Amino acid sequence: MVDVPTSLKAFVPLENNPDVMTHLVQQLGLAPTVAFHDVYSIADPDLIAFVPRPAYALLLVFPVSSTYEKFRRREDEDRPEYDGSGEGEEVVWFKQTIRNACGLIGLLHGVSNGPVREFIDPNSDLSWLLKSATPLKPAARADLLYTSHALESAHQSAAAKGDSAAPSAEAAVDLHYVCFVKSSPENNLWELDGRRKGPLNRGKLADDEDVLSERALDMGIRSFLKREEEAGGGELRFSLVALAPSLE
């Protein structure tokens, strides 16, 4: 999967590991009271109950298929390029211009939206990055991430902490990360993907429903998986990670 032009900067792909993800966002400035957790099922209530609530964001990690690529192109075909910016934005969206950085972009989408922003150290690199990014249009916002030394340093540190040997930054990787968040106070479920034309509103949630609620799963993850199965691709291999209160 080529997510951005090969002439642009590349990062070592981030391992799909909640500890690695937590290390990265906490190094940037997220409080230790919030962490990433594996979600072992979206069908078994007992397994879902292992995840602390509320769940602020969900990261879906999956191998890119021809079905997904066709749907992405078809859904984006008639959509204008997103041009939002400023304090009035319902969600903060980042366009991906760094190769193999979809994991990093997914993490940034998760910590940049909704009430989890209250857990960001106001004197941290993450706080500075969000304050700087908010007034910018998507292209300038992407340039901010592209040139951020703090972001690159935190990513390199986290990539080195994985359980498996990290591939090279130039490696062709078929895993992709998509983030689901709930906007506040609008209560909409948003799908955020730096490869798309912009953020995608997937529907309204109630005040007491988080991104791991039944309604959110139906509008987001389950809809995604059902589309893959109905297209004849079989059951999609995927993993799911939630951003939620820490267990420590």
Side-chain angles (χ1 to χ4, degrees):
M1 178 188 72
V2 179
D3 47 20
V4 296
T6 55
S7 59
L8 295 178
K9 180 165 67 175
F11 280 0
V12 172
L14 200 64
E15 184 176 288
N16 176 24
N17 180 323
D19 293 336
V20 170
M21 297 174 179
T22 297
H23 172 82
L24 197 160
V25 294
Q26 290 185 356
Q27 188 178 11
L28 285 172
L30 191 67
T33 51
V34 184
F36 284 96
H37 308 268
D38 279 317
V39 180
Y40 296 107
S41 173
I42 56 171
D44 186 334
D46 291 334
L47 291 177
I48 293 176
F50 279 107
V51 180
R53 309 296 277 272
Y56 301 113
L58 285 181
L59 271 177
L60 174 66
V61 189
F62 61 97
V64 172
S65 66
S66 59
T67 302
Y68 171 75
E69 288 294 270
K70 288 176 184 176
F71 175 81
R72 177 178 69 87
R73 293 190 183 101
R74 186 170 66 249
E75 189 174 38
D76 280 354
E77 186 176 11
D78 296 325
R79 289 178 181 271
E81 291 283 349
Y82 180 69
D83 196 36
S85 65
E87 295 294 341
E89 271 187 303
E90 187 171 336
V91 287
V92 175
W93 177 77
F94 296 103
K95 182 178 180 64
Q96 182 181 343
T97 57
I98 302 169
R99 282 188 293 146
N100 287 337
C102 59
L104 173 65
I105 298 298
L107 297 186
L108 287 176
H109 282 145
V111 299
S112 300
N113 291 287
V116 74
R117 289 187 63 154
E118 299 171 10
F119 298 96
I120 296 174
D121 180 345
N123 299 312
S124 67
D125 290 326
L126 183 55
S127 178
W128 180 88
L129 198 66
L130 288 178
K131 287 177 183 175
S132 301
T134 298
L136 302 178
K137 295 291 187 182
R141 193 177 282 176
D143 288 342
L144 178 72
L145 301 190
Y146 194 93
T147 57
S148 171
H149 296 296
L151 201 59
E152 186 165 0
S153 175
H155 186 277
Q156 288 176 344
S157 173
K161 286 185 172 293
D163 293 332
S164 56
S168 74
E170 304 297 329
V173 178
D174 72 344
L175 284 181
H176 191 52
Y177 292 67
V178 171
C179 185
F180 292 88
V181 301
K182 179 184 179 181
S183 60
S184 177
E186 296 87 356
N187 292 341
N188 289 312
L189 179 71
W190 288 87
E191 180 180 330
L192 305 176
D193 179 349
R195 293 180 70 221
R196 304 297 294 265
K197 284 187 172 181
L200 299 157
N201 188 341
R202 295 308 189 196
K204 180 73 72 174
L205 295 172
D207 287 343
D208 60 350
E209 291 176 319
D210 65 7
V211 294
L212 203 49
S213 66
E214 283 295 303
R215 191 198 306 263
L217 290 174
D218 283 344
M219 293 191 299
I221 308 295
R222 289 174 184 149
S223 175
F224 189 101
L225 299 177
K226 181 180 179 182
R227 187 169 63 241
E228 289 284 331
E229 292 177 17
E230 290 180 346
E235 187 173 350
L236 183 69
R237 293 182 295 113
F238 75 97
S239 61
L240 198 60
V241 181
L243 181 62
S246 173
L247 292 172
E248 299 178 359

